[in-house]
Amino acid sequence: MTTASTAGAMQPYALTLDRFIDHAAKWHGAVEVVTGGSGGATVRIGYSALRERSQRLSGALRSLGLAPGDHLGLLAWNSQSHMECWYGAVGIGVVCHTLNPRMSPTHLAGIIHQAANRVLAVSADLTPLAEKLIALCPTIKHLVVLEEPGAPTVLPDCDRVRVWRYEELLEQRGQALAWGGFDENTPAGLCFTSGTTGRPKGVTYTHRSNYLHTIHQLQADASGLTARDSVLVAVPMFHANGWGLPFSGPAAGAKLVLPGRHQDGASLANLINTEGVTVAAGVATVWLGLADHLDKIGGEVPSLQRIMLGGASVPQSLMDRLEQRLAVRVQTSWGMTELSPLGTVTPATAPVGKATQSGRPPLGVDLLLTDADGAALPEQRGREGRLRVRGASVVERYFGEVESAVDAEGWFDTGDLAIIDRDGNVSITGRAKDLIKSGGEWINPAEIEAIIGALPEIALVAVVGRADPKWGERPILVVEPHKGAHITDEALLDALRSRVASWWLPDAIVRVAGMPLATTGKIDKQRLRAEYR
Amino acid sequence: MTTASTAGAMQPYALTLDRFIDHAAKWHGAVEVVTGGSGGATVRIGYSALRERSQRLSGALRSLGLAPGDHLGLLAWNSQSHMECWYGAVGIGVVCHTLNPRMSPTHLAGIIHQAANRVLAVSADLTPLAEKLIALCPTIKHLVVLEEPGAPTVLPDCDRVRVWRYEELLEQRGQALAWGGFDENTPAGLCFTSGTTGRPKGVTYTHRSNYLHTIHQLQADASGLTARDSVLVAVPMFHANGWGLPFSGPAAGAKLVLPGRHQDGASLANLINTEGVTVAAGVATVWLGLADHLDKIGGEVPSLQRIMLGGASVPQSLMDRLEQRLAVRVQTSWGMTELSPLGTVTPATAPVGKATQSGRPPLGVDLLLTDADGAALPEQRGREGRLRVRGASVVERYFGEVESAVDAEGWFDTGDLAIIDRDGNVSITGRAKDLIKSGGEWINPAEIEAIIGALPEIALVAVVGRADPKWGERPILVVEPHKGAHITDEALLDALRSRVASWWLPDAIVRVAGMPLATTGKIDKQRLRAEYR
């Protein structure tokens, strides 16, 4: 190896996240980041000005005592100030610890404690939750309140903690700091998975892993963002980096539209039409709300070309409705907090696929199907297996853990079941832990859910196991029909009869008006199991 | 900094080039690499099989004594076996030293000597040149002859050197080797710039710099390749990595079409139509030949959507003709061997620009305009300056040199002049060394060339300086009119009169039937200067 003689052959270029906003400020300086607020109010800023404010925020954060490696707690909706907090923090090596406001105060206090957050930045309407957390978390010394366009801000009165209005902090302490100059393996983000079971586990993203995730994700077959796109980020920034869009937007010079806390159909329709949104990202329920709203008012969203859908697999009927009602292309995808989050995505330029397919892995992500013991399946195509992942932006070890999260060959076990077809298209077929063991044989709830979910009367569906003295476990079918739709038990069972083994037919059918959802927007199966025990 | 506590947070993932072909083999295994040969013959192979053969070639190269850090000499047209040589070499840390067959044997022998090549792989029709080189280069011990589809191979008889037919080498020595496992800063490629002046200088690409170049270039606004593209690589692989397409093709899962040594209009039209080419890359003269051929036979290339044009700025008339005759979108670009090569590119999705514009830098490339002394221009927009570059895939130090090729702030001086408009669009306005100093003031030949080149009668144009006793230097205009086209001296001067200062008007006008071209396809100004001295 002649590394010594070629050191310095090519220029050093650290893969750090400040590159994205530097690039956007210099080459797309007038392209805007727009934040939606209350009553249709918006604030907007160009990337040049956003960079300048973020560098001033770096100085302010430093003045509050945040040093490289420290964690900035962020309990906030998608907004300009939230994005300034990201770049202001990571530019000086401070780690963004995003907190999900839908987690319980106890869970949140636990992870704030783990990360030793001394500064907490919160959206104005989340200050009541912040007050609870401050009472539980003695580490917190500063509370920074991010204001919302169009809404009055009431600052809480907290003992022991200094409360700052965001703009006041910027004005009083905002001495611009230069960015970068540290190693690309420096941590940049911390995100705890808000799974439905077990205690939350934290994933530490590094500058390098997020940079690589961004450019792998920017490939034309994945997000494919361009400088002519206007991107609605309806996935919260506290969910796995907002799917990386606050990084890939400026990297591509795309306009970003951040909806604040307003994810209802009317607010989103208004933002899409006012800001000429071309690409929108979020979970299915959000776009269902948009379609419902447009149906109600008879509206359209003509600028919208594409929806990047993630979070969970969707029924074909829902996908068809979105594509037809919104006149868009739906890109299904699969990801996890542990994957930064992109695992697979339907190519933006491919013929429209089936809703059950989650697409293909981009360069930078590799997949392996194994049996229950973790041994690679000898045949990787056309067989269901447990899905393991390796890649440039995949977790190796959870925050604060000693044990590795990967196996001896470096694969991370996702806990998902999947089938990969001959052409390399991945279908997530279920969660290994959701499998129901009946009479010693496995029933896969996801297969039943796909069939029932395809019925036009059904909005949401879940199958969970119930303890059974004879069989060990038996399946229960829980459905939420569309408003006003009716379907008999017999019709539901009929739909299944020709498609699954007879012993897979559910023992009971439950109708609910509102399916319980977990903090990620996924159906809360843990709660369903407890309820229909 | 808490690097210690976060080491191992995310998985290790070395940015090495074997990733591209691994990804293609696993996820796009049936997508083909097609090579055009003599008389319309082709050979084709899927990425899976290409990977398997390349791994066997690794074993064969090892058996010939090539160890990590050694250079494999490659004197070859674009073909499957050439591509297998690339991946077979880099997969085990051997460096691909691409040689330009249009350079003189003396120049080639000099750089073979510098790189101490012991193995030389050559296209079958280049064996006469190889024999000359072997006579000049005692380091060469093995000659591997890459055969051409549809053409007989005559093996040369060389003293001292073992001559291998490529397939024979694979068969006899092709024990597959595993790839990777080395540092991403390991050298991967060596390419000497075949400039028109001075002695050739080598650029050492590393795995990391080429990997980053590939994914930066794959952004939707740059090459934007997808798995549904069929890409005609009409830029030689010995020109700055074939613009990186042998890397980005498999990385995106795109089909690659390699024309061998056949770059004439008829061969290219045939390949485009047979292989459903959607994107083609090469210099303007190649596409001009294609348009001429289609005019002659009344043919069309309906599958072709886009041409990536590079090498030199083109007259507007030529670009208009290509866009209209071929019914394609032309993407202009600017690059250099030292930039791997991408510097700027017109976004694939933007409205069609002017031929004089070279586009915008993608993420990973940064630009600075300076004065003649290297000081940054205080205003970077709307002013002409000398262009400097910094980035992830930009040279820092030439091969074998002790001195750095960058300034104190890390910028590489391209020697080009450029203007950047308000929106960040870059126009290369000339070469600093081509400027003509007349009466103490500067004349920029490129500005005169742009005006004359836009005239419908003119195929190629160059302005060079001639020594003048009174003014120091005075401009000479050299034009190559289109076949059958006529234009008077007065008409040429008239075109200039209202557009440039009167003292910029050339002192003499020369008409040539064939403009002298350098080995890169650019006009050989050095020769023109010598001729019209």
Side-chain angles (χ1 to χ4, degrees):
Chain A
M1 209 68 59
T2 58
T3 307
S5 73
T6 55
M10 300 302 279
Q11 296 185 4
Y13 178 92
L15 304 174
T16 55
L17 304 180
D18 49 308
R19 303 272 187 195
F20 300 146
I21 211 78
D22 283 356
H23 177 78
K26 188 160 178 179
W27 299 102
H28 307 275
V31 173
E32 289 176 332
V33 174
V34 180
T35 304
S38 289
T42 52
V43 287
R44 57 188 64 238
I45 188 169
Y47 279 122
S48 279
L50 187 141
R51 177 177 183 276
E52 189 260 321
R53 282 169 57 90
S54 301
Q55 287 204 320
R56 284 171 48 215
L57 185 66
S58 294
L61 296 176
R62 178 71 51 84
S63 86
L64 300 185
L66 290 182
D70 285 344
H71 291 84
L72 167 64
L74 291 158
L75 185 74
W77 311 118
N78 294 7
S79 69
Q80 174 191 322
S81 49
H82 191 176
M83 200 162 148
E84 289 169 357
C85 286
W86 277 25
Y87 283 101
V90 301
I92 55 169
V94 167
V95 186
C96 289
H97 176 200
T98 50
L99 297 157
N100 182 342
R102 300 198 189 95
M103 286 173 83
S104 72
T106 319
H107 267 150
L108 287 171
I111 67 182
I112 287 173
H113 176 76
Q114 274 192 69
N117 296 137
R118 280 180 293 128
V119 180
L120 184 63
V122 300
S123 288
D125 68 319
L126 292 172
T127 49
L129 174 56
E131 286 181 87
K132 284 185 200 160
L133 296 176
I134 286 167
L136 293 167
C137 304
T139 57
I140 300 174
K141 304 297 178 205
H142 294 272
L143 182 71
V144 181
V145 178
L146 311 177
E147 297 168 81
E148 187 193 352
T153 303
V154 181
L155 292 186
D157 187 18
C158 302
D159 264 1
R160 186 178 54 77
V161 166
R162 169 104 189 239
V163 179
W164 300 85
R165 200 181 284 271
Y166 179 76
E167 292 297 335
E168 169 204 19
L169 174 67
L170 257 193
E171 197 165 306
Q172 292 183 18
R173 302 285 187 94
Q175 183 117 25
L177 288 185
W179 284 342
F182 44 76
D183 188 277
E184 66 190 32
N185 291 303
T186 299
L190 175 62
C191 183
F192 280 76
T193 58
S194 47
T196 51
T197 59
R199 85 186 153 79
K201 284 184 283 190
V203 177
T204 301
Y205 305 115
T206 66
H207 280 262
R208 176 178 163 113
S209 74
N210 273 345
Y211 189 104
L212 291 174
H213 183 269
T214 301
I215 40 177
H216 283 133
Q217 185 240 72
L218 276 175
Q219 291 176 82
D221 267 342
S223 80
L225 300 184
T226 78
R228 277 146 306 289
D229 278 317
S230 172
V231 185
L232 176 62
V233 187
V235 54
M237 289 164 70
F238 51 77
H239 278 174
N241 298 319
W243 298 357
L245 294 166
F247 300 132
S248 51
K255 176 177 175 178
L256 287 184
V257 180
L258 308 175
R261 65 184 162 93
H262 309 281
Q263 301 248 21
D264 59 289
S267 299
L268 295 183
N270 183 42
L271 273 177
I272 290 169
N273 286 327
T274 315
E275 305 302 334
V277 167
T278 56
V279 179
V283 296
T285 43
V286 166
W287 309 121
L288 201 57
L290 174 64
D292 286 346
H293 168 76
L294 293 176
D295 277 350
K296 208 173 72 187
I297 64 160
E300 303 294 335
V301 281
S303 64
L304 193 62
Q305 297 162 7
R306 188 154 56 96
I307 285 180
M308 291 192 282
L309 202 64
S313 72
V314 294
Q316 186 69 43
S317 59
L318 171 56
M319 181 158 145
D320 290 345
R321 178 168 175 228
L322 291 180
E323 294 208 318
Q324 284 154 24
R325 181 59 187 87
L326 306 178
V328 297
R329 168 68 194 280
V330 171
Q331 261 185 295
T332 51
S333 67
W334 165 77
M336 298 177 79
T337 301
E338 287 88 341
L339 272 59
S340 301
L342 181 61
T344 62
V345 58
T346 313
T349 60
V352 172
K354 298 182 207 131
T356 51
Q357 289 182 340
S358 296
R360 309 161 57 86
L363 177 71
V365 176
D366 195 12
L367 307 180
L368 181 76
L369 294 177
T370 73
D371 62 19
D373 301 323
L377 296 187
E379 174 55 61
Q380 290 280 310
R381 297 289 190 269
R383 301 270 188 290
E384 184 178 66
R386 285 162 186 253
L387 187 57
R388 295 190 179 216
V389 189
R390 239 172 17 189
S393 309
V394 180
V395 72
E396 176 162 72
R397 191 165 51 78
Y398 288 105
F399 179 72
E401 300 288 323
V402 176
E403 272 184 35
S404 172
V406 302
D407 66 20
E409 282 76 43
W411 295 96
F412 169 73
D413 183 2
T414 66
D416 280 331
L417 303 171
I419 288 183
I420 306 174
D421 73 13
R422 288 276 139 211
D423 294 329
N425 299 301
V426 177
S427 295
I428 302 297
T429 50
R431 290 286 297 167
K433 69 177 169 50
D434 287 344
L435 292 179
I436 297 165
K437 201 162 196 176
S438 176
E441 300 285 343
W442 293 107
I443 296 171
N444 186 351
E447 287 186 40
I448 302 174
E449 288 160 4
I451 296 165
I452 298 297
L455 299 173
E457 295 89 352
I458 300 300
L460 290 169
V461 54
V463 173
V464 293
R466 181 169 69 174
D468 183 278
K470 181 170 178 187
W471 302 104
E473 261 189 319
R474 288 295 301 152
I476 301 296
L477 174 66
V478 186
V479 291
E480 176 187 329
H482 284 296
K483 236 179 184 167
H486 295 286
I487 183 164
T488 63
D489 283 6
E490 208 42 40
L492 289 167
L493 293 173
D494 270 351
L496 292 173
R497 273 196 183 102
S498 58
R499 316 275 296 277
V500 301
S502 60
W503 58 276
W504 280 38
L505 293 183
D507 275 14
I509 295 174
V510 180
R511 286 177 171 70
V512 295
M515 193 70 83
L517 299 180
T519 54
T520 54
K522 294 177 194 169
I523 294 175
D524 189 345
K525 288 204 167 181
Q526 198 181 20
R527 205 169 127 196
L528 287 177
R529 275 187 212 102
E531 234 157 274
Y532 302 106
R533 188 183 297 158
Chain B
M1 209 67 61
T2 56
T3 307
S5 73
T6 55
M10 300 302 278
Q11 295 185 5
Y13 177 93
L15 304 175
T16 55
L17 304 180
D18 48 309
R19 303 272 187 195
F20 301 147
I21 212 79
D22 283 354
H23 177 79
K26 188 161 179 180
W27 299 102
H28 308 275
V31 173
E32 289 175 334
V33 174
V34 179
T35 304
S38 288
T42 52
V43 285
R44 59 188 63 237
I45 189 170
Y47 279 122
S48 279
L50 187 141
R51 177 177 183 275
E52 190 260 323
R53 281 168 57 89
S54 302
Q55 287 203 321
R56 284 170 48 212
L57 185 66
S58 295
L61 295 175
R62 177 70 51 82
S63 86
L64 299 186
L66 290 182
D70 285 345
H71 292 84
L72 167 64
L74 291 159
L75 185 74
W77 312 117
N78 294 6
S79 69
Q80 174 191 323
S81 49
H82 191 175
M83 199 162 150
E84 288 169 358
C85 286
W86 278 25
Y87 283 102
V90 301
I92 56 168
V94 168
V95 186
C96 289
H97 177 200
T98 52
L99 297 158
N100 183 343
R102 301 198 188 96
M103 287 173 83
S104 73
T106 319
H107 267 151
L108 287 171
I111 66 182
I112 287 173
H113 176 76
Q114 274 192 71
N117 295 137
R118 280 181 293 128
V119 181
L120 184 64
V122 301
S123 289
D125 68 319
L126 292 172
T127 49
L129 174 55
E131 287 181 86
K132 284 184 201 161
L133 296 176
I134 286 168
L136 293 166
C137 303
T139 57
I140 301 174
K141 303 296 178 207
H142 295 272
L143 182 71
V144 181
V145 178
L146 311 177
E147 297 168 79
E148 187 192 351
T153 304
V154 182
L155 292 187
D157 188 17
C158 302
D159 263 0
R160 187 177 53 78
V161 165
R162 169 106 190 238
V163 179
W164 299 85
R165 199 182 285 270
Y166 179 76
E167 292 298 334
E168 169 203 19
L169 175 67
L170 257 193
E171 199 164 305
Q172 291 183 18
R173 303 285 187 95
Q175 182 119 25
L177 288 185
W179 285 342
F182 44 76
D183 188 277
E184 66 190 34
N185 290 302
T186 299
L190 174 64
C191 183
F192 280 77
T193 58
S194 47
T196 50
T197 59
R199 88 186 150 78
K201 284 183 283 189
V203 178
T204 301
Y205 305 115
T206 66
H207 280 262
R208 176 180 163 111
S209 74
N210 273 346
Y211 189 105
L212 291 174
H213 182 270
T214 302
I215 38 176
H216 284 134
Q217 184 240 72
L218 275 175
Q219 290 176 84
D221 267 343
S223 80
L225 300 184
T226 78
R228 278 146 305 289
D229 278 318
S230 171
V231 185
L232 176 62
V233 187
V235 54
M237 288 165 70
F238 51 77
H239 278 175
N241 298 320
W243 298 358
L245 294 166
F247 300 131
S248 51
K255 176 178 176 178
L256 287 183
V257 181
L258 308 175
R261 65 184 160 94
H262 308 282
Q263 300 248 23
D264 59 289
S267 299
L268 295 183
N270 182 42
L271 273 178
I272 291 169
N273 286 328
T274 315
E275 305 302 334
V277 167
T278 56
V279 179
V283 295
T285 44
V286 166
W287 308 122
L288 201 56
L290 174 65
D292 286 347
H293 167 77
L294 292 176
D295 277 350
K296 207 173 70 185
I297 65 160
E300 303 293 337
V301 281
S303 64
L304 193 62
Q305 297 162 7
R306 187 152 59 94
I307 284 179
M308 292 192 280
L309 203 65
S313 72
V314 294
Q316 185 70 42
S317 59
L318 172 56
M319 180 157 146
D320 291 345
R321 176 164 178 233
L322 291 180
E323 293 208 318
Q324 283 153 25
R325 182 59 186 87
L326 306 178
V328 297
R329 168 70 194 281
V330 171
Q331 260 185 295
T332 52
S333 67
W334 165 79
M336 299 178 80
T337 301
E338 287 88 340
L339 273 57
S340 301
L342 181 61
T344 62
V345 58
T346 314
T349 60
V352 172
K354 297 181 207 133
T356 51
Q357 289 181 341
S358 296
R360 311 161 56 85
L363 176 72
V365 175
D366 196 13
L367 306 180
L368 182 77
L369 293 177
T370 73
D371 62 20
D373 301 322
L377 297 186
E379 174 56 59
Q380 291 281 312
R381 295 290 189 267
R383 302 269 188 291
E384 184 176 67
R386 285 163 187 252
L387 186 57
R388 295 190 180 216
V389 189
R390 236 168 25 183
S393 309
V394 179
V395 71
E396 177 163 71
R397 191 164 50 78
Y398 287 106
F399 178 72
E401 300 287 323
V402 176
E403 273 184 34
S404 172
V406 302
D407 67 19
E409 281 77 42
W411 294 98
F412 169 72
D413 184 1
T414 66
D416 281 331
L417 304 171
I419 288 184
I420 305 173
D421 74 12
R422 288 276 139 214
D423 294 329
N425 300 301
V426 177
S427 295
I428 303 296
T429 50
R431 289 285 298 165
K433 69 178 169 50
D434 288 342
L435 291 178
I436 297 164
K437 200 162 196 174
S438 176
E441 299 285 343
W442 294 106
I443 295 172
N444 185 351
E447 288 186 40
I448 301 174
E449 288 160 3
I451 296 165
I452 298 297
L455 299 173
E457 295 88 352
I458 300 300
L460 290 168
V461 55
V463 173
V464 293
R466 179 169 72 176
D468 184 279
K470 181 168 177 192
W471 300 104
E473 263 189 318
R474 288 296 300 152
I476 302 296
L477 174 65
V478 186
V479 291
E480 176 187 331
H482 284 295
K483 236 179 184 165
H486 296 283
I487 183 164
T488 63
D489 283 7
E490 208 43 40
L492 289 167
L493 294 172
D494 269 351
L496 292 173
R497 273 195 182 101
S498 58
R499 316 276 295 278
V500 301
S502 60
W503 58 275
W504 280 39
L505 293 184
D507 276 13
I509 295 175
V510 180
R511 285 177 172 69
V512 294
M515 193 69 83
L517 299 181
T519 55
T520 54
K522 295 178 196 170
I523 293 174
D524 190 343
K525 287 202 165 180
Q526 197 182 20
R527 205 168 126 195
L528 288 178
R529 275 187 213 103
E531 234 158 275
Y532 302 106
R533 187 185 296 158

